[in-house]
Amino acid sequence: MAAPAARSALRIGMIPADGVGKEVLPAAQRVLESLGSLIPKPEFVPLLAGWEEFQRNGKALPDETVRVLKEECDAAMFGSVQSPSHKVPGYSSPIVALRKHLDLYANIRPVSSVPGTPGKDVNMVIVRENTECLYIKKEELRENADGSKTAIAYRQITSNASERVGRMAFELALRRGAERAAPGAAKTFWQGPPKVTIVHKSNVLSVTDGLFRESVRSVKENSGGRYDGVDMEEQLVDSMVYRMFREPEVFDVAVAPNLYGDIISDGAAALVGSLGLVPSVNAGDNFVMGEPVHGSAPDIAGKGIANPIASVRSAALMLSSMGYTDAAAKINASVDQVILENKVATPDLGGKSTTNEVTEAILKNL
């Protein structure tokens, strides 16, 4: 997105949705409220969506939520959604629908370890195509003559969607390379020129994954030299998973179709200790929505022990995507300090602290 224009207020739609989303989104709001002059005064617009909303009113994504986001908000934060594992007539995931309504065609998920903490050295970003693949949710169940059943799912890959998410990945690689080369930039684990890894399985799915692979490759090949300084490689999705856990330091920016991106980004969270640490944004050309990678965690919902860090980092990533890089850097530095000190941690990181205690520690650093 372009650099921010001068404005008196920053209107942010807040959609806690289900489960722990109601506990971690308030933490992100408190952090955003603490930034002072680094951002325009934030104004928060509470909005409804989710499984619980569907149970109350029969619609997981109210039309009013979509209208307000499109007409009145500069950005948004989404908490988590608790979707049933079985088919429920009339229900579909509100987060998938929001991505389509707002044309948020890329899900950007950084996975970075904090220098000085145990574990592998990792500083990569997974860019997940956000609008198609199997997530178009076209399925059918057929009754066979012998009484058995056949379930069929349709997968959609288009050159347009693949090229634009590929372009976002290459632009992100360029920006990361420039940030690493900037005077006074903090040292990172990544060495060498920026790199984009195209993740696919075109050796088996030669038509759909073949089109994704060819389309993303064409972004660099037809860029008129813009991406000459960005290395490009390919990785089959199964070997990507293997290498990601064995040697995550070899990856910079990875771009993948929707399903693969979902799986590898959740798996990559294990490299840094917990899903509760990993942020994301759903991004398009004109709007951005922060979303922690973790789900609704019904086993701990309401207990006050959900890790707020993924939500707080998602707020930082939202600000960075809008051009408020100083504010984002300040938030991330505060979170890094909390992780490094290791005095306050929620149970997913082996601690006994509450959501509020971790939030207070982040705010104290700010």
Side-chain angles (χ1 to χ4, degrees), residues 10-16 25 29 42-48 64-65 67-69 72-77:
L10 194 64
R11 288 179 62 81
I12 302 171
M14 301 295 280
I15 314 167
L25 221 58
Q29 179 169 327
E43 296 177 356
F44 301 98
V45 185
L47 297 169
L48 296 172
E64 180 66 3
T65 294
R67 186 198 68 78
V68 171
L69 288 172
E72 301 180 16
C73 294
D74 302 304
M77 289 289 299

Side-chain angles (χ1 to χ4, degrees), residues 47 61-71 98 101-102:
L47 297 169
L61 182 60
D63 294 340
E64 180 66 3
T65 294
V66 177
R67 186 198 68 78
V68 171
L69 288 172
K70 285 184 173 181
E71 297 178 7
L98 275 172
H101 279 297
L102 301 171

Side-chain angles (χ1 to χ4, degrees), residues 188-208:
T188 70
F189 303 123
W190 180 258
Q191 302 294 323
K195 180 172 72 173
V196 170
T197 301
I198 307 169
V199 182
H200 60 82
K201 190 68 175 174
S202 62
N203 59 327
V204 176
L205 300 170
S206 58
V207 176
T208 50

Side-chain angles (χ1 to χ4, degrees), residues 175-188:
R175 187 164 75 242
R176 282 164 60 85
E179 289 171 355
R180 289 190 290 256
K187 291 184 178 180
T188 70

Side-chain angles (χ1 to χ4, degrees), residues 95-107:
I95 187 64
V96 173
L98 275 172
R99 291 165 181 163
K100 292 179 180 177
H101 279 297
L102 301 171
D103 199 25
L104 305 177
Y105 60 83
N107 189 250

Side-chain angles (χ1 to χ4, degrees), residues 39-331:
I39 62 172
K41 181 181 178 181
E43 296 177 356
F44 301 98
V45 185
L47 297 169
L48 296 172
W51 170 244
E52 295 173 22
E53 177 63 15
F54 175 80
Q55 291 179 306
R56 283 191 297 266
N57 297 311
K59 198 162 189 178
L61 182 60
D63 294 340
E64 180 66 3
T65 294
V66 177
R67 186 198 68 78
V68 171
L69 288 172
K70 285 184 173 181
E71 297 178 7
E72 301 180 16
C73 294
D74 302 304
M77 289 289 299
F78 190 92
S80 60
V81 63
Q82 181 179 336
S83 292
S85 57
H86 57 282
K87 181 175 176 59
V88 175
Y91 177 82
S92 61
S93 170
I95 187 64
V96 173
L98 275 172
R99 291 165 181 163
K100 292 179 180 177
H101 279 297
L102 301 171
D103 199 25
L104 305 177
Y105 60 83
N107 189 250
I108 301 172
R109 298 185 171 187
V111 182
S112 299
S113 51
V114 177
T117 57
K120 291 184 177 292
D121 296 342
V122 53
N123 184 5
M124 66 182 294
V125 179
I126 297 165
V127 182
R128 165 190 170 193
E129 200 288 318
N130 224 9
T131 64
E132 51 181 27
C133 190
L134 285 168
Y135 286 60
I136 61 171
K137 297 194 69 144
K138 286 186 65 175
E139 298 180 289
E140 62 180 73
L141 187 63
R142 297 177 181 176
E143 300 279 351
N144 301 319
D146 62 358
S148 64
K149 296 178 180 179
T150 300
I152 297 174
Y154 295 88
R155 185 177 195 240
Q156 175 180 297
I157 299 290
T158 65
S159 58
N160 286 343
S162 303
E163 286 172 9
R164 67 178 183 172
V165 79
R167 192 170 298 108
M168 186 167 283
F170 277 100
E171 287 295 325
L172 183 59
L174 272 184
R175 187 164 75 242
R176 282 164 60 85
E179 289 171 355
R180 289 190 290 256
K187 291 184 178 180
T188 70
F189 303 123
W190 180 258
Q191 302 294 323
K195 180 172 72 173
V196 170
T197 301
I198 307 169
V199 182
H200 60 82
K201 190 68 175 174
S202 62
N203 59 327
V204 176
L205 300 170
S206 58
V207 176
T208 50
D209 272 14
L211 180 60
F212 180 83
R213 170 188 175 272
E214 293 163 9
S215 299
V216 176
R217 288 190 65 89
S218 74
V219 170
K220 177 174 180 176
E221 292 163 355
N222 300 329
S223 69
R226 177 170 176 79
Y227 305 125
D228 284 355
V230 180
D231 290 344
M232 179 172 64
E233 66 171 17
E234 301 178 25
Q235 197 78 55
L236 295 178
V237 64
D238 43 357
S239 60
M240 172 73 190
V241 172
Y242 178 80
R243 290 195 72 195
M244 189 174 70
F245 285 105
R246 293 273 297 188
E247 44 181 349
E249 69 278 1
V250 304
F251 296 110
D252 184 19
V253 176
V255 60
N258 208 335
L259 178 64
Y260 303 157
D262 195 3
I263 293 170
I264 63 176
S265 58
D266 279 9
L271 297 168
V272 294
S274 169
L275 274 170
L277 297 176
V278 181
S280 80
V281 289
N282 300 279
D285 295 329
N286 301 301
F287 199 84
V288 62
M289 179 170 63
E291 179 196 2
V293 169
H294 61 69
S296 61
D299 56 325
I300 62 169
K303 296 182 179 179
I305 56 172
N307 193 337
I309 287 178
S311 184
V312 171
R313 283 204 190 276
S314 294
L317 193 56
M318 175 192 72
L319 292 177
S320 177
S321 300
M322 299 176 74
Y324 300 105
T325 52
D326 289 346
K330 188 171 183 179
I331 293 172

